[in-house]
Amino acid sequence: MGAAAGKAVADVAAASKTRAEYRLAVAEHVILGWHCARSSGADFAGIWDSDATCTNESLLSAVDEIILLAEIHAFPMASAARRSMEDALDIAMTCLIEGFLRLRVWDASKLEGRGGLRFAVEKLSVSAAANGVSLAFPTTGSISTASTIGELYASGESQSSTADAVTVLLDGEFFDVLDLISPASLSVLHQIAVRVIRAGYTKGLLQAFTNAPCDFLDRFLSILQLECPLETDQVSFEDAEWWTAEDMIKRWILTTKLVAKALAVMQRQLHAQSFGAFDRFKNDYFMAIAKNSIFVLLRFANGFTSTEAPDKLVYVLEMYEALSNAAPGLLLLFTRQGVELISRQVEVVLAKLERALRVMIGGLISRIRTTDRSPTAWSAAHGVGVHPLTRYAMTCVELLSPHRAALDLILANGAADAAESVSSLGSLVAALVTSLERNLEEIKHKLSNDTAAAAASRELFLATNASFVLRRAVDAGVASLLGDGWAARRESLIARHVASYVEACWPPVVACLETAGWKPAKAVAKFSAAFDKAYESQVHCEIPDPALRDALRKAASEMVVPAYSVYLHRHPQLERNVRYTASELEQLLSELFEGEAANRNKS
């Protein structure tokens, strides 16, 4: 009887084993069929489509069957069936994780269409590139002749419309009214999480978060129009033209602001939703997609850390400021471990940008100090007007002045080992002005000769450039950074150049009235001829600064007109026969330094 009972138990076990193997074989067939289709590269469907609107019930049932068999330990250890089950379980988890990676959790549909956010972003990025939202120095070998920032860029839509678009896109309410999470994904994420937890494959799901798609963020990152693979440490832009670098950095700044805003809203909405079993993972999930997008931005910025060309100084400076400003808000999104990782990466990129900026600043000072001083080139091409180098230097000052806080920090951090002794924006402006004046003095000496006309031209040249430096420094708001007496000293310098100009040009004209042994009529004729020569040599010179122009005219008139008037008063018989009356002489002197306008006035 005992033998019969034992046989009955064995028969039941065998039957049970057969049923479990059968269930394994059926489920394994479905799972392996999916795996083969996937491995062959052919189109295949997972458990869910990307919109979570369709479920492959047979495949899901097969996954459930494999998980259940593993849960109940249907097969003994080291058995062939156990090995088959474990292999099938690995494939089933792969199926679930691929389903997760195909799932569209974040709804980017509102970014489509002409009226949507995507259109606005694309329009904004194009407008920003066309309008010079951030301006930059002229390129090497092309010292700008533009006299104001406005003249550097004049095309496309207005900057105000671009700024308005930025404001709308970054407005908190604009993002808040968008329901970013696709409702259909909630139940699917729960179903995936439940099965992963049951099977003990949570580590695999956590690893999958690194590659989790996010169409919503991808829309903003696409503004960069650049592939940034996760495994790439640095993206190099050294071969790009300067305008290409400008456009890329503008796009990066815009993208950084949008991504920072979008991440904050995404985190808020993610934590407000209930995902069932997936709630256990949603913080890690968000950290992963946030880290991915931030690393793309950091790698992009890192690509500019080897840039040394002064032409790109303002671009890279704006990138540094944008990253510095965005970093605190981005770090608030992360837990402690994530904060430490992101913070280290941000600090590394900022430090490298600082070093690059200090190199560029040194290069800028060197460029202004050593730009070609060929006397033939400058005297023939530029006369007494504002030297292109002066215009370039002060345009640089004007472009740098809004970035005082960042420059003070960058220069102070590198003051100990800087090639140039600059530790703040003020000392940088002083170095630029000093370098400029040394160069202009060198030009002055190389242009020197013994003629009165040359001496007068040199003084006009130096007065014009000194005046330009003073006015632009005041307009840029940096004059106060150069010391309490700097502006007064500049005014005194300009006054000395004016006096030197008058002494070089007009005393020889007045001296004609006192020519020894000459009759009054002949002396006046000689005076008139000398005056005409001096007048004609200067009437077409252009002095752009109205205040300096008036000062020069007044100084010349005060030397020439009173002396001529006194001479005519002493010789009244000449008044009807002279070429000029005293008032006519004064009128002519009031027309000096009009440049091309003098020709138009005569015609």
Side-chain angles (χ1 to χ4, degrees):
M1 185 172 180
K7 183 177 184 302
V9 170
D11 289 343
V12 171
S16 175
K17 180 180 178 183
T18 302
R19 285 196 297 271
E21 288 178 341
Y22 175 76
R23 289 164 58 189
L24 172 61
V26 172
E28 190 179 29
H29 176 75
V30 176
I31 293 291
L32 291 178
W34 171 85
H35 180 63
C36 290
R38 170 182 174 273
S39 300
S40 67
D43 291 337
F44 66 93
I47 300 175
W48 300 277
D49 65 356
S50 60
D51 293 321
T53 57
C54 180
T55 303
N56 186 330
E57 296 292 350
S58 62
L59 184 54
L60 182 59
S61 296
V63 171
D64 287 342
E65 186 76 338
I66 296 293
I67 294 172
L68 179 60
L69 290 171
E71 280 181 323
I72 64 175
H73 305 289
F75 308 106
M77 296 292 294
S79 66
R82 178 65 173 256
R83 289 193 296 272
S84 295
M85 180 195 70
E86 289 176 346
D87 290 343
L89 183 62
D90 286 338
I91 297 173
M93 291 300 101
T94 299
C95 181
L96 284 176
I97 290 173
E98 289 204 357
F100 164 74
L101 292 175
R102 293 180 65 199
L103 185 64
R104 187 176 292 114
V105 178
W106 301 96
D107 184 5
S109 63
K110 297 180 179 65
L111 308 186
E112 304 294 338
R114 185 172 180 83
L117 183 57
R118 183 182 182 185
F119 174 77
V121 167
E122 290 175 350
K123 182 173 180 291
L124 175 62
S125 62
V126 171
S127 178
N131 287 293
V133 171
S134 60
L135 305 180
F137 302 158
T139 56
T140 304
S142 178
I143 301 295
S144 175
T145 58
S147 61
T148 66
I149 283 184
E151 293 175 19
L152 288 175
Y153 293 92
S155 64
E157 299 176 23
S158 69
Q159 292 186 22
S160 61
S161 65
T162 299
D164 290 343
V166 172
T167 300
V168 169
L169 288 169
L170 297 177
D171 189 298
E173 294 181 359
F174 184 87
F175 279 98
D176 284 334
V177 298
L178 297 177
D179 294 324
L180 303 181
I181 299 175
S182 176
S185 69
L186 300 180
S187 63
V188 174
L189 289 173
H190 165 71
Q191 293 180 61
I192 292 173
V194 164
R195 291 168 172 84
V196 167
I197 293 169
R198 286 172 56 193
Y201 273 71
T202 57
K203 185 177 179 180
L205 181 60
L206 290 171
Q207 290 174 341
F209 290 162
T210 302
N211 299 313
C214 182
D215 290 349
F216 189 72
L217 286 176
D218 288 345
R219 289 292 192 273
F220 299 122
L221 293 173
S222 69
I223 298 171
L224 298 176
Q225 294 185 349
L226 183 76
E227 292 294 330
C228 295
L230 294 178
E231 66 274 8
T232 301
D233 291 330
Q234 179 164 318
V235 182
S236 177
F237 303 104
E238 288 304 298
D239 295 331
E241 296 291 339
W242 71 272
W243 57 265
T244 304
E246 174 200 22
D247 178 58
M248 284 193 285
I249 291 179
K250 287 176 186 174
R251 289 174 179 271
W252 180 89
I253 291 172
L254 172 61
T255 302
T256 299
K257 292 177 180 178
L258 289 169
V259 166
K261 190 66 181 179
L263 284 173
V265 176
M266 288 168 65
Q267 186 183 53
R268 192 160 58 245
Q269 294 191 13
L270 186 69
H271 285 285
Q273 292 283 0
S274 176
F275 294 85
F278 192 78
D279 283 344
R280 170 177 170 180
F281 303 106
K282 64 183 180 183
N283 189 62
D284 292 307
Y285 168 61
F286 177 77
M287 294 297 106
I289 59 176
K291 184 175 69 174
N292 283 349
S293 60
I294 292 171
F295 277 7
V296 168
L297 295 172
L298 290 178
R299 279 190 294 276
F300 190 98
N302 193 56
F304 285 88
T305 58
S306 59
T307 301
E308 297 183 358
D311 311 326
K312 300 180 178 67
L313 174 54
V314 172
Y315 308 145
V316 179
L317 181 57
E318 289 188 344
M319 175 174 277
Y320 174 89
E321 289 177 319
L323 182 56
S324 298
N325 294 336
L330 291 173
L331 294 177
L332 287 175
L333 302 172
F334 291 88
T335 56
R336 180 177 178 180
Q337 184 178 2
V339 165
E340 292 174 355
L341 175 63
I342 298 297
S343 179
R344 285 197 303 271
Q345 296 297 321
V346 169
E347 288 172 1
V348 167
V349 174
L350 286 176
K352 292 169 74 174
L353 287 173
E354 284 186 8
R355 287 194 294 271
L357 286 165
R358 286 193 288 270
V359 170
M360 287 184 241
I361 287 168
L364 175 63
I365 295 172
S366 178
R367 173 181 292 183
I368 292 173
R369 181 180 297 160
T370 61
T371 292
D372 181 26
R373 307 181 183 115
S374 168
T376 303
W378 292 128
S379 62
H382 306 295
V384 303
V386 177
H387 195 288
L389 185 62
T390 305
R391 199 180 300 276
Y392 174 81
M394 297 316 294
T395 298
C396 292
V397 168
E398 190 173 10
L399 290 167
L400 291 173
S401 61
H403 307 281
R404 178 182 177 181
L407 284 169
D408 284 350
L409 177 63
I410 293 166
L411 294 171
N413 288 344
D417 55 1
E420 302 291 341
S421 57
V422 292
S423 58
S424 64
L425 175 60
S427 59
L428 170 58
V429 174
L432 293 174
V433 172
T434 300
S435 298
L436 171 66
E437 290 180 335
R438 287 175 182 171
N439 206 331
L440 295 180
E441 285 291 337
E442 186 71 19
I443 293 171
K444 172 189 173 182
H445 291 308
K446 288 190 175 184
L447 291 176
S448 295
N449 60 47
D450 296 332
T451 66
S457 292
R458 286 196 303 272
E459 297 303 329
L460 287 174
F461 171 76
L462 294 174
T464 298
N465 285 273
S467 173
F468 187 84
V469 168
L470 174 61
R471 305 307 169 209
R472 290 291 284 268
V474 170
D475 291 345
V478 298
S480 60
L481 303 180
L482 300 172
D484 295 337
W486 183 82
R489 290 193 297 274
R490 301 297 300 183
E491 293 285 7
S492 177
L493 175 64
I494 295 167
R496 290 198 299 274
H497 286 311
V498 170
S500 297
Y501 152 73
V502 172
E503 288 299 324
C505 182
W506 297 106
V509 176
V510 174
C512 293
L513 296 173
E514 304 299 334
T515 305
W518 285 42
K519 293 181 179 180
K522 190 172 182 181
V524 168
K526 183 179 181 181
F527 167 87
S528 297
F531 177 86
D532 287 344
K533 183 177 180 181
Y535 173 82
E536 290 297 330
S537 70
Q538 292 169 54
V539 67
H540 298 299
C541 294
E542 184 173 0
I543 305 297
D545 181 2
L548 176 60
R549 189 166 60 238
D550 290 344
L552 289 165
R553 290 168 173 175
K554 181 180 179 183
S557 183
E558 287 176 348
M559 172 166 282
V560 175
V561 175
Y564 184 66
S565 182
V566 167
Y567 192 83
L568 292 183
H569 183 72
R570 285 180 7 215
H571 303 282
Q573 73 276 14
L574 298 175
E575 290 187 3
R576 293 184 179 180
N577 298 315
V578 293
R579 180 171 180 178
Y580 300 117
T581 65
S583 60
E584 289 172 337
L585 211 62
E586 186 173 15
Q587 176 61 36
L588 287 171
L589 290 171
S590 71
E591 298 170 358
L592 290 176
F593 314 120
E594 291 287 348
E596 292 299 323
N599 288 329
R600 292 194 297 270
N601 292 339
K602 285 188 176 182
S603 61

